[in-house]
Amino acid sequence: MSQHADLLARYKHLRQVGLELNTRLGETVSRGVPDEGGKKLGILKRGVLTLDTEDEIAVLMDFCLHDVRRRGANAIDRYLAKSSPDADPDELVLLGALRQARFSLLAVEAAEPGVGVRARDLFRDQPLFLVDVGLSRTAAAGLVLAARVMAPDGIGMTTGAALPVGVLSPAERDRLLGRLRDRFPGLDFAGLSPKEAGEVAASVLRTCLRNGAAEWIAYVEPGHVGRGSKAPPRDWPPSSAWPASE
């Protein structure tokens, strides 16, 4: 029996609630936010959002919800502030988890087939278990993902699309982190402020998108068996491409 199999039922339910919540959150995004997010991610060209794949929309929206702020608040902060105490308890659980979500580079260490993967948060050097049925079936040890992680009811899951960086050796991961630290001198990656986290997320996601990472995204809907997050070839792309400049 899988160690974390008992999390699946709750995970699938929260994912379904989350799909509906994300739709409502997206409807609250004000005019100008997608363009601002697209500019930061390098996909706004001559004033027009240029998306190579449909999956880039999910990446853009996740970034806009979390990292494009107005008067210090993002879309989740504003939505939660207006939520009634009598709102759906599962929705409130998810909103609280989304508010505490953190962006990072995650290195897959081992799979628990049919459930998820054991991974390491490279920014904070912390282990975590990520529930992701598709990833559990396809991810190779050493795969590094750029993702935002939340933990509703203590269940680790991504907030949206996770972009693959590549299958990297420990030495390559160290070099990648070194380049990011050079790009953002003086930042404590284990304790980023919201503004700092947004800047780091933009740089990492921009590089992933520039390298074609969105081509490797796939999904499994809650409660269904299907395609999952796909691992790119072992030689895709070289870590020397990191990080993207402005």
Side-chain angles (χ1 to χ4, degrees):
M1 174 108 178
S2 297
Q3 183 179 353
H4 297 90
D6 59 335
L7 301 178
L8 277 176
R10 181 63 172 160
Y11 163 80
K12 291 175 182 177
H13 176 70
L14 288 173
R15 270 300 191 202
Q16 188 59 54
V17 174
L19 289 174
E20 299 165 3
L21 175 60
N22 274 349
T23 298
R24 293 196 296 276
L25 283 169
E27 292 170 351
T28 71
V29 171
S30 60
R31 182 177 297 180
V33 168
D35 283 357
E36 181 179 338
K39 182 178 180 181
K40 291 180 177 179
L41 297 185
I43 54 177
L44 182 73
K45 300 175 181 178
R46 297 181 181 179
V48 178
L49 286 170
T50 304
L51 304 171
D52 293 329
T53 71
E54 292 182 2
D55 297 310
E56 289 184 7
I57 297 174
V59 176
L60 172 62
M61 185 54 62
D62 189 70
F63 181 81
C64 288
L65 292 177
H66 289 269
D67 294 316
V68 179
R69 295 175 175 269
R70 297 288 183 264
R71 298 178 182 177
N74 63 18
I76 297 157
D77 295 328
R78 292 190 294 273
Y79 191 97
L80 189 55
K82 295 179 180 179
S83 294
S84 166
D86 298 325
D88 181 349
D90 289 333
E91 181 174 299
L92 292 176
V93 166
L94 281 168
L95 284 167
L98 285 166
R99 197 175 193 183
Q100 298 297 320
R102 61 192 190 187
F103 181 84
S104 190
L105 291 172
L106 308 176
V108 173
E109 296 182 335
E112 194 171 308
V115 183
V117 296
R118 286 195 291 108
R120 181 161 294 275
D121 179 334
L122 298 181
F123 283 3
R124 300 161 187 85
D125 193 25
Q126 294 176 350
L128 72 157
F129 186 83
L130 192 64
V131 180
D132 186 316
V133 175
L135 196 63
S136 77
R137 295 170 176 156
T138 60
L143 174 65
V144 175
L145 300 164
R148 197 182 313 272
V149 177
M150 62 177 174
D153 285 350
I155 301 172
M157 62 178 76
T158 59
T159 62
L163 292 176
V165 174
V167 179
L168 307 180
S169 68
E172 288 172 325
R173 294 199 295 265
D174 288 344
R175 285 196 293 271
L176 173 55
L177 290 173
R179 291 189 183 98
L180 279 172
R181 293 190 180 101
D182 289 342
R183 172 77 176 82
F184 297 98
L187 286 194
D188 175 10
F189 279 70
L192 297 172
S193 69
K195 182 175 184 292
E196 292 168 343
E199 292 172 350
V200 171
S203 180
V204 171
L205 293 173
R206 186 167 58 249
T207 307
C208 284
L209 292 172
R210 186 175 298 175
N211 289 337
E215 297 177 8
W216 300 100
I217 301 173
Y219 301 95
V220 171
E221 295 297 333
H224 295 76
V225 176
R227 296 188 308 144
S229 304
K230 298 185 291 184
R234 182 168 290 275
D235 58 354
W236 178 96
S239 59
S240 59
W242 289 75
S245 59
E246 294 293 345

